[in-house]
Amino acid sequence: MRTGKVARIADRVRKELGELTPQERTLAIKALRDALYEGSALDAATSDPKQMDACVRCGSIRIIRKGHGRDGSQRWKCMDCGRTFGVRTNRVMGMSKLKAGVWMRFLECFVDCLSLRKCAQRCGVCLKTAFLMRQRVIECIRRYTPVLRSEAGMSVQLDETYFRESFKGNHTKSAVFVMPRKAHRRTKSLRKRGLSKEQICVATGVDDAGRSFLTVCGRGVISKDRAMSALKPHIGRGTDVLTDGAPAYVKPLAELGANLTQTDAGDHAINRVNTLHARLEDFMFGFHGVSTKYLQAYLDWFQWLGAFTDGFGETDDNRLLARQLGNGLYRIRRRDYQRMTPPYMDYWKKAA
C-alpha cells in the first residue's frame, strides 16, 4: 500500500513538473532538493540523549543531569568545569545558523573534493563561510577515521613524503602574522635544491589491512627525534616494519621493540606506502597548494576518504557523513582560525 502511494505521488509530481516553464521547473526542483536535504539531515544527524557520556567542552566524564531545555531536551552539568550543556552544544548543525540543507549540499561538495569557490557557489555562501564549513567538517570527522596501532605479528611499511612550505592566503590585513619571505608563485622553484629546510616532512605508515597514518613532523629530512614522536603512537612492540635505507628509523624502532627490515628504494618492496603517496599527491593537486598550517587537516581529510569512500567519491551509506557531522563536536572557534600562525617558524627567525 505504501509503495503504491509513493509511486502515485511521484507520478503526480512528475506530471506537474512537466507543465511548468523551464524557470519554474528549476525553482521547483531546487525547493524539492532543499526539502529532501533537510529531511535527510534531520534523520541522519539525530542524537540520542542517553549516549551523552562526557562534557562536550572539557571532556570530563563527571557529568550529571541538569534539567531540560526549552524544547524539552535533556541538559547536563559538568562537575569539573561547572558549565551546563545540551545535545546541541558545540555540535555543528546544532550551533550553526545555516540551514541543514546548506550543510547537506556542502557535504556533497566535501566528498567530491571541490574547491572552496565551487563549494561557496553551490551552497550560496561566501568564501570565508565555505572555508570555515570545511574546517568544521574535518574537525568532526577526524575522530571517526581508523587509526593505525600495530601489534606483534603485524606488518607495516614506513616512508616519508615532503611538501614545500606554503603561506597561502591573504595576509595583508593580518595583525598576528608577517610574511618571513617575499611571496612567490606556487610554480616557482625553491631557493634550495633537494630536501631542504624549506620543505615540510610528513611521516607515513600503512599496514596490511590498509590502515595508515600521516603525520606532519617538522622541516627537512626526518630526524631520529621527529621519527620517534611520529611513530610512537602507531608502532607497537613486535611489529614487523619495512622501510627504505633512511637511518633515522633505526634507533626509534629499536626503542619501540619493532623488527626492522630495510631495503633499497629501487626494489619496490614498499609499494603500498608509495601508492599511498601517489594517491595523496593526486588529492593535493586539486587544491593548487595547501597552507602549511592547515596541512595536517587536509591529511586527515584524505585519510577519511580512503576509509569511508570507494575512491570515486561514493560512500557505502549516503547518510554516513551527515551522521558523523551531526554527532561530531568542534572546539576551534572562528577567531582561533584567524589567529592561527604557521608552524616551524624558528627557521626563518634564525635566517633573519
Side-chain angles (χ1 to χ4, degrees), residues 51-68:
Q51 295 181 357
M52 190 69 69
D53 55 1
C55 176
V56 298
R57 293 191 175 92
C58 68
S60 172
I61 60 175
R62 298 180 61 236
I63 59 175
I64 60 174
R65 294 179 182 270
K66 185 66 174 179
H68 295 80

Side-chain angles (χ1 to χ4, degrees), residues 105-246:
R105 281 198 296 273
F106 183 82
L107 294 186
E108 288 187 348
C109 301
F110 183 84
V111 174
D112 292 337
C113 303
L114 299 183
S115 66
L116 284 178
R117 284 179 172 77
K118 290 183 179 179
C119 293
Q121 182 179 6
R122 288 194 181 185
C123 299
V125 298
C126 68
L127 194 61
K128 290 183 178 179
T129 300
F131 166 78
L132 186 62
M133 293 172 74
R134 174 180 287 179
Q135 299 302 321
R136 286 280 188 267
V137 174
I138 293 175
E139 187 177 0
C140 289
I141 67 174
R142 182 177 287 135
R143 68 189 184 109
Y144 293 97
T145 305
V147 179
L148 170 58
R149 292 188 178 93
S150 65
E151 300 174 351
M154 296 179 60
S155 177
V156 177
Q157 295 182 9
L158 299 179
D159 198 4
E160 63 278 350
T161 186
Y162 296 87
F163 293 88
R164 57 187 302 172
E165 186 179 28
S166 173
F167 301 109
K168 185 178 180 180
N170 184 3
H171 306 294
T172 56
K173 298 182 180 179
S174 176
V176 297
F177 175 73
V178 178
M179 283 286 289
R181 56 164 173 77
K182 184 179 180 181
H184 56 67
R185 294 183 178 272
R186 183 172 63 95
T187 56
K188 185 177 179 180
S189 60
L190 295 172
R191 294 188 308 159
K192 298 182 179 180
R193 299 175 60 184
L195 298 179
S196 68
K197 293 288 187 178
E198 296 183 12
Q199 291 178 299
I200 305 300
C201 177
V202 176
T204 310
V206 57
D207 65 2
D208 293 333
R211 292 184 296 266
S212 63
F213 70 87
L214 294 161
T215 305
V216 177
C217 59
R219 293 177 175 274
V221 179
I222 190 169
S223 64
K224 296 177 182 179
D225 293 337
R226 286 157 45 199
M228 172 58 82
S229 63
L231 299 180
K232 190 174 182 179
H234 305 287
I235 305 299
R237 183 172 297 276
T239 303
D240 297 324
V241 178
L242 182 63
T243 71
D244 57 10

